[in-house]
Amino acid sequence: MTWILSGLLAAAALLPLAWIILRPAQAVDRAAADRALYRAQMAELERDRASGRLDEAAHAAALLEVQRRLLAVPEAAPARVGGRGPLLAGLVAVPVLAFAVYFLNGFPAMPSATFAERRDAEARDEALLAELRTRLQSMPPRAPQTRQGWLLLAEAERNRGRPAEAAAAYGEVLKIGFDPDLAAQRAQVLLEAGQLEEASAFLADALPRAPGHVGLRFLAGQVEAQAGRPAAARAAWQALLATAPDGAPWKGMVERRMQSLP
């Protein structure tokens, strides 16, 4: 029975790929597809908030992340979907290889991890992060490996839901070399951590170094909005819209955020 259910699940998972192979080829704009995905995610977040599955703080943090990704979507020319050969090979090869490997090494009756096992795994992860922090303190301050280590730590802390720790690690990365995209990441996690004064001070320092960066300018307005200064937020976003190129995909999102201001 387990193998039958596994086969049905595999078939269901591969149905979208089969549909892509069978339908006629169409021109695809990757940037447009990305924007559509992020708009769908924002709509889903609104539904989760309305149904009570997300509180206001969690909704605001998640919405800010999706909006940042929407702002970062580049303009791209349409590209045409290529041949179906690789897709057809994947449709056949993936389930065959997966079942072959699982048949040789799998154990369908294996029980799920217990609470103690999950707790031990969490403790191991914490130990690894602590070791990484210790090593970073002893590494050359401006070495490329040190920068990469701090960036790895920042992403790990962020993925574990610790924005304050992530902001501190991003700060170490930026000490080694300024990067406007990483500066926007740090400003965002400061906002997620509720550190509005720190985010405001950081953006005041970062914006003159990258005055045209859309993400930093948007977050400067977001800081003002979350701090209860709607007039300042509106002014920041109006200035951003005034310099937006024609057809900029993020203009509508900024306009909606302005309309939501009191």
Side-chain angles (χ1 to χ4, degrees), residues 242-261:
T243 58
D246 293 337
W250 44 265
K251 288 178 64 176
M253 182 269 293
V254 177
E255 289 168 350
R256 289 191 295 273
R257 294 306 294 261
M258 286 178 58
Q259 292 171 1
S260 69
L261 292 172

Side-chain angles (χ1 to χ4, degrees), residues 23-243:
R23 72 176 181 177
Q26 300 175 351
V28 175
D29 182 345
R30 174 60 184 271
D34 288 344
R35 290 193 290 271
L37 172 63
Y38 295 142
R39 292 190 183 103
Q41 289 176 344
M42 287 191 288
E44 180 67 22
L45 287 172
E46 292 296 335
R47 288 193 292 270
D48 288 345
R49 181 179 65 171
S51 64
R53 289 194 293 268
L54 283 177
D55 59 25
E56 288 297 331
H59 172 267
L63 184 61
L64 187 61
E65 169 64 12
V66 176
Q67 290 171 340
R68 181 194 64 78
R69 295 181 183 180
L70 179 61
L71 289 172
V73 174
E75 296 294 335
R80 181 162 295 276
V81 176
R84 296 188 176 96
L87 291 176
L88 183 59
L91 184 64
V92 176
V94 169
V96 170
L97 290 175
F99 276 105
V101 172
Y102 193 75
F103 182 78
L104 293 175
N105 302 291
F107 183 30
M110 179 179 290
S112 59
T114 65
F115 171 76
E117 290 171 331
R118 294 194 299 271
R119 181 192 58 201
D120 292 344
E122 180 81 10
R124 287 194 297 271
D125 291 343
E126 288 295 338
L128 288 173
L129 290 179
E131 181 180 355
L132 177 58
R133 294 187 198 96
T134 301
R135 289 187 177 182
L136 287 171
Q137 296 295 338
S138 62
M139 291 175 68
R142 305 189 66 83
Q145 297 87 347
T146 306
R147 181 182 186 277
Q148 190 60 35
W150 283 115
L151 183 57
L152 177 64
L153 180 61
E155 294 295 337
E157 297 285 20
R158 190 174 188 178
N159 291 336
R160 294 171 75 81
R162 297 194 293 227
E165 290 80 357
Y170 277 125
E172 296 296 331
V173 177
L174 293 168
K175 287 179 183 177
I176 298 173
F178 181 78
D179 181 294
D181 291 332
L182 292 179
Q185 297 275 11
R186 183 169 193 264
Q188 181 173 315
V189 292
L190 284 170
L191 287 175
E192 293 172 5
Q195 299 178 10
L196 296 181
E197 292 185 5
E198 292 84 347
S200 180
F202 174 71
L203 285 166
D205 177 69
L207 270 170
R209 306 174 73 177
H213 193 274
V214 173
L216 288 173
R217 296 178 67 187
F218 171 77
L219 289 169
Q222 186 65 30
V223 167
E224 300 296 341
Q226 290 187 211
R229 298 187 288 266
R234 185 175 288 106
W237 286 338
Q238 285 175 337
L240 175 59
L241 290 172
T243 58

